Amino acid sequence: MNRRRRLLTLLTASLLAASGSAAVAAVPGGGSPAKPTTLRTENLVDPIGIDAAKPLLSWLPPQKSATGQAAYEIRATVQSPSQQRERDLWDSGQVRSASTSNIAYAGPALHARDRVRWEVRTWDAAGRVSPWSDPSTWEMGLLTPADWSARWIENPSYDYTQPDGKETPLPVFGKAFAVHGAVKQARLYTTGLGMYAATLNGRPVGEAVLEPGQTTYTAEVDYRTYDLTRALRAGTNTIGLQTGSGTYQRVKTPGRYFFGGTLEQYTVYGEPKVIAQLEITYQDGHREVVSSDGTWRTALGPTTFSSWWSGEEYDARRDGNAPTSAAALAGAGWQQANPVTLTQSTTPRDTTPLRANPRPPITVAQTVRPTSVRKLADGSYLFDFGANRSGWPSVSVTGHAGDTVTMIPAEKLAADGSLDIASTGASAGNQIAYRYTLSGHGRETWHPQFTYSGFRYLQVSGLRAAPTSDTVTVDVIHAANPSASEFTSSSDLLNQIHAITERAIQSNMTSVMTDCPDREKGPYTGDNLQNLDALLTDYDMSAFEPQLVRNMATAQRQPGDASPGLIANIAPEFHRVAPTTLPRPQGTIEFLDEVNWGGAVIRIPWQLYLTYGDTRTMATYYDNMVAWLDYEARNKAANNGDIPGLGDWSATDNTTPMQLAITAGYYTAASDLASIAQVLGKTADHATYSALAAQLAAEFTTRFRHVDAAGVYYGSDSEASDAMALDAGLVAPADRAAVLDRLVASVRKAGNHITTGSVALGPLFRALENGNRDDVIYDLVVNPTSPGYGYLVASGHTTLSESLDGSGSQNHHFLGAVDAWFIRGVAGIRQAEGSVGYRSLTIAPALVGDLNHAAGSYRTPYGTVSTDWTKSGHDFRLHVTVPPGTTATVHVPVAANRQIQVAGAARMTGGNGTETVYTVGGGDYTFSATI
């Protein structure tokens, strides 16, 4: 039985008790604690243009309070653009609760454009009330179709290709309008398909790039809201919208890289289109709206080629067709836009809603200059940017009209020092390329807007002069999810492994989690799930991951489709994969469906609940979870008990039975759904899925548990076999020590190499951690020979590759489980078993190998927990910071019979010959001893 299951009833009861409402009397004369900080709405800071009916609110309790929060009160006011004053909206009253996150707004119904100002105060356990926090705000977007006066518009002259076979330039759209008077507020609500870049008077309207975020375009199209209040100028202004193809247009072009083979079936959903609504409210109260319609102007613009996979081209001689000014819109080549008539057979459909994008935007995180430039024999230049990253090249040059600068990206070099583009999927005849054709007017600067690549190297041709460090740079881009942790140690190797892992995560963190930023850019659900430990450790994904779950739900096959209930291995499913079986060393695989991919629709929401206390995602997509699990039950029955799939994908040891990995994943999904049902109060479903989990556990044991002279093992006795059995909770308590020993023996037999694939890698780390074998993990991690993390660093990799032997894509993230171990194991910060939202912590740093120092931190919903330990000779020191309102069990790796000096109110609660255990509340603590 999974350990999580045994504690769930107690856990649920404690949560209900914590959230109950009751008055907390103020203690007169007791002094006031500090005020709450870091207020967020929908896990974002002061967002505008949200559409959640009951936004979720969060804050950090006063950080100077050791006891934390015992109660809170929220008050809010509201103002619409047409109102001159705020009015009271909602007061929660005093609510007895320690919860500081996922507090649903419970006031009157909200309306489009409402701007809400809110603040919170708290009471501590002694009844002392804090001052009100500094205020925070949120603003509602456009909530219903009736709020939109804008129409989707297209360019009437656009077609995918011209009669001579050349690519058609991408459409641009513009509207000139007048501003007369003092502006109180201006909001632009806009989106485009496949992609759009919005400007006001030729300047970007915001920092978001590569918009909109990927969704199932028949189910929803996301829009963004931009604040243009200070950007508008008196007199004539011009809104401009340029378009790109994105995943909406999948056109195969001769000479261009095209991802796909015999399995994939692609769709061109339609022609580029945009919708925009600018609402201006003046200080005198009157309001004007500029909406996209047939009066807007359109032209075929300067972006002459756009492909999500194979690059972008821009001809600056066509800059007259850029929507930068009223004069430009009146020039040659411009015409009236066509309003689009949507139907049930178009994409989007006439019933497809426009929905506020809930994710943090993709932004330019940094600009990187080359570390070296080398001239090649053909006159081109090879730029090395020092590390593999995801982004776009930016060029700044002078030259003659018609000169073309071509930039070819690559992740690595060949043995002779030339560009090696093989790992990106490209070839000499099917290129990924960025091309800029100059206008000849002074210094010209350009970067692509509608695609990106993963690369370290650029081969650049067409430069008239030797480049400087500023001629070609790289804009590194990724989703602006806040960092959640920090780690450092005395080991340069561990620090480098952490760096390459985080860089791989960043490179694949766009509007979805991709597998790699070049060859496929696939939103693989399994890659997200299998590396979820590291993702939730390195970044705050509370505003990001729920949309990825939504993408799974909207991509789920419906009644009438083939395989209703199925969630394919990518979501959105912008290409379809035929259910074709293929022979592989681990057995016959099928790419379309895998429980360790589709099961993400259950397992990710459960982890979001455990990490952040997020119940909304579980509740919103519960029916999708049930539909998927029911589909897999039918799938299992139709295949005589064996579900088709991939097994432990990408493993170097292919002896692990495919059905072991699939059954363990299926069991975990069923077990998690039973837990979800219990938390949501679905008693009958809890019983149903608990029974299913028990049935699968019995099947797993009968089929994969074996005993030989050396004891109990599972499957083929591979690392993956024993690790997955242990991690899923499928090993009887009496057998766990024996199976752990077999797992360690498998690691040692493999020469301390990781032999699992992406599916079993997380279980390998967790099984060894839970078995207190961090020493074994350390040996695996630092091993300098292939395959392994140490080998990747030793062989010069700057991101994780698709395989730990360095082969395949050079920028995959799904083998990133090591980053979670750096925090959980080496720094020793983890959530206590049975806790939700890090209310209870376990601090247990692992003193492994020759490490003499490590420090780490993690931002929980209650504040930041940190550790810093040093071992010098016989002296050991551990400093711990615990957030207010939480408790921690601190395992000091010093025998209980040793003298330990403690700074802070820690209470010793246990110990043995290897450690002394203390219980602490919020605060700072230092433990010093001679060992």
Side-chain angles (χ1 to χ4, degrees):
M1 201 71 160
N2 196 317
R3 288 181 297 169
R4 292 176 299 175
R5 184 78 1 78
R6 297 199 304 266
L7 295 172
L8 192 58
T9 301
L10 178 60
L11 173 68
T12 305
S14 66
L15 285 171
L16 291 174
S19 62
S21 295
V24 175
V27 175
S32 294
K35 60 189 175 184
T37 63
T38 320
L39 276 63
R40 297 193 299 173
T41 305
E42 289 293 296
N43 298 303
L44 301 168
V45 177
D46 295 331
I48 64 171
I50 67 172
D51 60 6
K54 297 180 179 180
L56 298 180
L57 310 178
S58 65
W59 58 88
L60 290 182
Q63 296 298 290
K64 294 181 181 179
S65 168
T67 59
Q69 173 186 300
Y72 67 81
E73 181 181 10
I74 302 168
R75 66 183 181 187
T77 60
V78 66
Q79 183 179 16
S80 67
S82 60
Q83 293 174 326
Q84 295 300 314
R85 294 182 180 179
E86 296 180 357
R87 56 183 174 83
D88 290 341
L89 175 67
W90 173 56
D91 192 315
S92 69
Q94 191 186 72
V95 179
R96 184 175 181 83
S97 173
S99 295
T100 63
S101 62
N102 295 291
I103 310 297
Y105 164 79
L110 297 165
H111 304 95
R113 309 173 186 87
D114 279 351
R115 182 172 180 80
V116 178
R117 179 180 178 274
W118 69 284
E119 51 195 358
V120 61
R121 62 177 177 174
T122 62
W123 285 260
D124 64 14
R128 293 172 298 185
V129 63
S130 77
W132 288 100
S133 67
D134 293 336
S136 183
T137 62
W138 82 79
E139 184 176 306
M140 304 303 292
L142 305 182
L143 307 182
T144 69
D147 295 319
W148 287 88
S149 57
R151 297 276 306 274
W152 283 100
I153 54 176
E154 292 178 339
N155 182 297
S157 300
Y158 177 84
D159 201 352
Y160 304 123
T161 55
Q162 299 172 354
D164 60 3
K166 294 181 180 178
E167 301 89 357
T168 303
L170 277 296
V172 299
F173 303 85
K175 177 70 174 181
F177 61 96
V179 171
H180 38 76
V183 175
K184 177 184 178 183
Q185 176 178 295
R187 298 289 186 262
L188 174 64
Y189 308 94
T190 189
T191 190
L193 292 172
M195 308 190 75
Y196 74 93
T199 59
L200 178 69
N201 302 321
R203 296 179 178 273
V205 297
E207 295 182 348
V209 301
L210 296 179
E211 288 286 311
Q214 289 185 24
T215 58
T216 303
Y217 298 132
T218 53
E220 67 182 40
V221 179
D222 283 0
Y223 71 89
R224 285 256 181 222
T225 303
Y226 301 93
D227 182 357
L228 302 188
T229 307
R230 296 187 177 183
L232 291 175
R233 63 193 183 197
T236 301
N237 292 259
T238 304
I239 301 174
L241 291 166
Q242 301 185 52
T243 63
S245 294
T247 59
Y248 183 73
Q249 282 188 312
R250 190 72 179 99
V251 182
K252 190 169 186 177
T253 306
R256 308 286 186 171
Y257 170 66
F258 182 86
F259 167 65
T262 57
L263 288 176
E264 291 83 14
Q265 305 163 23
Y266 294 92
T267 302
V268 174
Y269 292 103
E271 298 186 356
K273 53 181 61 67
V274 298
I275 187 169
Q277 188 164 309
L278 173 63
E279 300 186 353
I280 306 169
T281 303
Y282 291 91
Q283 291 289 358
D284 64 8
H286 86 276
R287 179 171 167 270
E288 294 178 355
V289 180
V290 181
S291 297
S292 54
D293 58 19
T295 68
W296 281 47
R297 303 285 284 170
T298 182
L300 300 179
T303 300
T304 55
F305 175 78
S306 166
S307 168
W308 189 240
W309 287 270
S310 57
E312 189 166 321
E313 296 185 4
Y314 188 98
D315 188 342
R317 295 170 300 178
R318 300 175 59 88
D319 271 349
N321 285 6
T324 56
S325 66
L329 303 186
W334 286 84
Q335 60 185 316
Q336 300 302 106
N338 269 0
V340 179
T341 301
L342 301 179
T343 69
Q344 281 297 294
S345 60
T346 61
T347 301
R349 297 171 179 161
D350 54 4
T351 54
T352 301
L354 291 165
R355 183 170 176 267
N357 192 341
R359 294 165 282 199
I362 304 169
T363 59
V364 175
Q366 65 177 131
T367 297
V368 177
R369 290 175 172 79
T371 57
S372 68
V373 182
R374 176 163 52 95
K375 190 172 184 178
L376 304 180
D378 63 0
S380 64
Y381 293 87
L382 186 63
F383 290 73
D384 180 355
F385 292 93
N388 209 359
R389 297 179 175 91
S390 179
W392 54 46
S394 178
V395 60
S396 180
V397 292
T398 59
H400 299 160
D403 287 355
T404 298
V405 177
T406 299
M407 297 173 282
I408 308 293
E411 297 182 310
K412 58 183 182 177
L413 299 179
D416 64 359
S418 62
L419 206 68
D420 182 355
I421 59 177
S423 69
T424 68
S427 65
N430 294 281
Q431 288 189 333
I432 300 172
Y434 298 90
R435 292 188 174 93
Y436 177 72
T437 300
L438 280 69
S439 68
H441 299 142
R443 178 156 295 278
E444 304 178 46
T445 300
W446 174 81
H447 62 73
Q449 297 188 95
F450 305 115
T451 188
Y452 68 101
S453 292
F455 60 95
R456 172 176 176 172
Y457 304 97
L458 280 174
Q459 185 168 333
V460 181
S461 59
L463 298 177
R464 284 187 169 269
T468 69
S469 62
D470 293 320
T471 301
V472 180
T473 57
V474 174
D475 290 335
V476 179
I477 59 173
H478 57 77
N481 292 310
S483 177
S485 65
E486 293 183 353
F487 172 79
T488 190
S489 75
S490 57
S491 166
D492 288 340
L493 177 57
L494 293 193
N495 296 340
Q496 289 182 68
I497 292 170
H498 171 57
I500 70 172
T501 303
E502 188 169 41
R503 197 177 290 125
I505 290 172
Q506 291 172 351
S507 297
N508 287 282
M509 191 168 66
T510 59
S511 68
V512 291
M513 290 303 305
T514 60
D515 61 332
C516 58
D518 37 56
R519 188 187 70 221
E520 295 183 57
K521 298 182 179 176
Y524 284 95
T525 58
D527 294 41
N528 187 7
L529 172 63
Q530 290 147 29
N531 198 32
L532 194 64
D533 283 357
L535 297 178
L536 298 183
T537 296
D538 284 2
Y539 289 94
D540 179 349
M541 308 291 261
S542 56
F544 181 81
E545 283 286 353
Q547 176 63 37
L548 274 56
V549 177
R550 185 179 183 89
N551 284 349
M552 287 184 257
T554 56
Q556 188 170 36
R557 304 283 180 86
Q558 298 300 307
D561 292 339
S563 306
L566 177 146
I567 295 174
N569 289 353
I570 65 167
E573 195 178 2
F574 53 73
H575 68 250
R576 290 247 169 161
V577 176
T580 305
T581 56
L582 298 171
R584 287 291 187 274
Q586 67 267 37
T588 301
I589 65 171
E590 181 186 299
F591 274 106
L592 173 65
D593 176 26
E594 227 292 352
V595 298
N596 288 295
W597 271 250
V601 76
I602 295 173
R603 296 170 64 183
I604 290 177
W606 177 244
Q607 291 303 314
L608 296 181
Y609 167 68
L610 293 178
T611 303
Y612 305 119
D614 174 6
T615 59
R616 185 175 67 182
T617 303
M618 299 190 304
T620 301
Y621 305 109
Y622 184 82
D623 290 345
N624 299 95
M625 303 177 195
V626 170
W628 176 81
L629 206 61
D630 288 348
Y631 158 75
E632 291 297 1
R634 297 191 301 271
N635 197 12
K636 183 172 184 284
N639 288 278
N640 299 314
D642 284 356
I643 300 176
L646 300 171
D648 184 22
W649 180 245
S650 74
T652 56
D653 181 350
N654 288 304
T655 66
T656 304
M658 179 177 293
Q659 290 301 312
L660 182 149
I662 290 172
T663 305
Y666 188 24
Y667 163 82
T668 303
S671 177
D672 285 354
L673 187 56
S675 299
I676 290 169
Q678 184 171 1
V679 172
L680 297 180
K682 299 178 182 291
T683 305
D685 282 3
H686 169 65
T688 297
Y689 297 117
S690 293
L692 174 59
Q695 173 192 327
L696 293 171
E699 291 178 10
F700 185 92
T701 300
T702 299
R703 186 169 182 178
F704 299 114
R705 181 182 183 274
H706 307 292
V707 182
D708 63 10
V712 179
Y713 68 95
Y714 283 79
S716 64
D717 203 18
S718 62
E719 292 176 15
S721 296
D722 292 327
M724 292 194 76
L726 284 165
D727 181 61
L730 289 164
V731 178
D735 291 341
R736 291 188 68 85
V739 177
L740 178 65
D741 288 344
R742 295 296 285 255
L743 173 59
V744 172
S746 293
V747 171
R748 301 308 190 197
K749 182 179 178 181
N752 292 327
H753 288 115
I754 296 170
T755 64
T756 71
S758 62
V759 176
L761 183 61
L764 173 65
F765 274 87
R766 293 190 296 266
L768 290 170
E769 284 177 49
N770 291 334
N772 295 316
R773 295 309 306 264
D774 293 280
D775 60 320
V776 179
I777 298 177
Y778 180 81
D779 292 342
L780 285 167
V781 169
V782 302
N783 192 332
T785 60
S786 178
Y789 296 106
Y791 169 74
L792 292 182
V793 171
S795 56
H797 285 74
T798 57
T799 47
L800 297 179
S801 54
E802 191 169 3
S803 172
L804 291 178
D805 65 7
S807 63
S809 156
Q810 300 298 288
N811 203 346
H812 257 60
H813 77 94
F814 68 173
L815 299 177
V818 65
D819 248 24
W821 177 69
F822 286 147
I823 297 297
R824 289 192 315 231
V826 180
I829 300 169
R830 66 178 69 182
Q831 182 167 206
E833 186 176 346
S835 172
V836 171
Y838 284 81
R839 184 74 189 279
S840 298
L841 301 160
T842 297
I843 306 296
L847 278 60
V848 288
D850 58 358
L851 289 179
N852 56 49
H853 174 254
S857 65
Y858 180 73
R859 194 181 77 184
T860 80
Y862 295 93
T864 298
V865 53
S866 65
T867 64
D868 188 323
W869 62 264
T870 301
K871 184 175 65 171
S872 178
H874 293 290
D875 295 328
F876 175 77
R877 177 184 176 277
L878 169 65
H879 181 77
V880 177
T881 299
V882 177
T886 66
T887 59
T889 301
V890 182
H891 297 252
V892 180
V894 177
N897 60 358
R898 297 293 185 112
Q899 176 125 15
I900 301 175
Q901 295 180 333
V902 181
R907 181 168 58 92
M908 190 173 78
T909 54
N912 53 38
T914 60
E915 67 176 16
T916 306
V917 182
Y918 295 86
T919 299
V920 301
D924 292 316
Y925 306 88
T926 301
F927 305 87
S928 305
T930 300
I931 56 176

